[in-house]
């Protein structure tokens, strides 16, 4: 693997080569971005902690069950119940757990928190492996606040976000040379003063990946950048 990476670097030796550490550190307090990042709650019932979390400045929207994944496209963070939702998606799997899987396939970059209000759901945790975090039953507001602040930090940190997406690309057998190209585009975006001059969609279209992955990559660049 290292030889392939070095080969990619040698091919671009006449071009500027960037490292992830070149991305400027973003110094911020989570409290500064609470009311800027949209959080969706997928639940067929009222989300009990919802109002208290909104009172605590989280930008949280309860959207019920969803008929299409487009409904959550604009939300970087998703809270999803694992009961009573996902009925619009045909599957033999547990409803909400299957929905989480479908969200992860379409939007690998989203931060997903799975939760349950049922005491017997420990057996279902294996179905929620595609979530980033699992909230246990009867979690306190303090626990929800801690979980959401962690999600906000990860979503707002470009290096953490890229590493997660890079893992998705590796798991989908994208060639290392293509991952390297995309990583360079990603880093350059954060280094350039006039970011609008970078045509991300055009650059992604030049990658040697299938059309389905191209659309996912375009979606990632549109939100992460």
């Amino acid at each position: 693997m290292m030889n392939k990476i070095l080969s990619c670097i040698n091919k671009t030796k006449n071009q500027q080569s960037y490292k992830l550490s070149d991305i400027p550190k973003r110094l911020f307090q989570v409290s500064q971005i609470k009311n800027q990042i949209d959080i969706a709650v997928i639940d067929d019932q009222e989300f009990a902690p919802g109002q208290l979390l909104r009172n605590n400045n989280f930008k949280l929207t309860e959207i019920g069950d969803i008929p299409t994944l487009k409904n959550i496209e604009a939300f970087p963070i998703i809270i999803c119940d694992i009961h009573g939702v996902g009925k619009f998606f045909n599957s033999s799997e547990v409803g909400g757990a299957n929905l989480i899987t479908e969200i992860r396939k379409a939007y690998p970059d989203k931060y997903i928190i799975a939760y349950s209000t049922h005491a017997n759901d420990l057996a279902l945790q294996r179905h929620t492996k595609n979530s980033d975090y699992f909230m246990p039953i009867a979690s306190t507001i303090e626990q929800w606040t801690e979980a959401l602040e962690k999600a906000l930090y990860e979503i707002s940190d470009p290096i953490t976000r890229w590493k997660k997406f890079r893992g998705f690309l590796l798991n989908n057998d994208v060639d290392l040379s293509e991952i390297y190209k995309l990583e360079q585009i990603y880093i350059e975006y954060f280094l350039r003063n006039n970011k609008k001059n970078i045509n991300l969609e055009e650059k992604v279209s030049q990658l040697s990946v299938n059309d389905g992955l191209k659309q996912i990559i375009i979606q990632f660049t549109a939100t992460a950048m």
Side-chain angles (χ1 to χ4, degrees):
M1 179 177 290
M2 183 57 67
N3 288 336
K4 285 188 175 182
I5 294 174
L6 291 174
S7 175
C8 294
I9 295 173
N10 289 334
K11 288 178 182 178
T12 58
K13 62 184 178 180
N14 294 323
Q15 303 174 8
Q16 177 69 51
S17 182
Y18 304 110
K19 300 177 293 183
L20 277 177
S21 58
D22 291 331
I23 296 177
K25 292 289 184 183
R26 297 187 63 185
L27 301 177
F28 63 89
Q29 298 293 325
V30 171
S31 59
Q32 296 174 308
I33 59 173
K34 271 186 180 181
N35 61 355
Q36 298 176 29
I37 298 180
D38 292 297
I39 302 169
V41 179
I42 301 174
D43 196 339
D44 63 332
Q45 305 291 328
E46 182 180 0
F47 182 56
Q51 190 54 54
L52 286 174
L53 291 170
R54 283 188 287 270
N55 291 345
N56 197 20
N57 291 327
F58 288 104
K59 195 177 179 183
L60 187 144
T61 304
E62 298 179 47
I63 61 174
D65 198 3
I66 58 172
T68 171
L69 295 179
K70 284 286 185 182
N71 290 93
I72 49 92
E73 186 173 82
F75 296 90
I77 300 172
I78 309 295
I79 299 172
C80 186
D81 189 5
I82 59 174
H83 277 281
V85 297
K87 58 180 176 289
F88 297 100
F89 297 82
N90 294 325
S91 174
S92 60
E93 293 287 336
V94 179
N98 176 63
L99 180 55
I100 288 170
T101 299
E102 294 302 315
I103 293 171
R104 180 60 73 213
K105 286 180 190 174
Y107 305 108
D109 180 50
K110 292 191 184 300
Y111 193 99
I112 305 173
I113 299 174
Y115 84 101
S116 173
T117 55
H118 293 67
N120 62 347
D121 278 338
L122 288 177
L124 298 180
Q125 289 191 33
R126 66 186 180 87
H127 293 288
T128 60
K129 62 183 182 296
N130 286 306
S131 65
D132 295 284
Y133 196 82
F134 185 89
M135 289 296 291
I137 185 174
S139 297
T140 66
I141 291 299
E142 290 75 19
Q143 288 172 315
W144 272 108
T145 297
E146 183 179 349
L148 288 177
E149 287 183 347
K150 180 178 185 294
L152 288 169
Y153 182 85
E154 292 201 12
I155 283 293
S156 300
D157 180 54
I159 295 178
T160 300
R161 202 162 182 178
W162 167 253
K163 287 179 178 178
K164 179 179 178 181
F165 191 72
R166 184 173 62 189
F168 164 80
L169 297 174
L170 288 169
N171 288 337
N172 281 271
D173 298 322
V174 176
D175 191 85
L176 284 171
S177 62
E178 299 305 297
I179 295 176
Y180 176 77
K181 290 176 189 175
L182 184 58
E183 183 170 293
Q184 292 299 294
I185 295 169
Y186 184 83
I187 298 170
E188 183 184 7
Y189 179 87
F190 287 100
L191 294 178
R192 291 270 294 269
N193 289 327
N194 190 354
K195 298 172 183 178
K196 292 182 179 179
N197 283 344
I198 299 179
N199 189 327
L200 297 173
E201 189 164 341
E202 179 182 346
K203 286 182 176 290
V204 170
S205 69
Q206 297 169 1
L207 297 175
S208 299
V209 297
N210 65 56
D211 289 341
L213 276 174
K214 278 183 182 177
Q215 288 306 309
I216 291 175
I217 293 170
I218 288 171
Q219 172 65 28
F220 167 76
T221 57
T223 56
M225 301 184 188

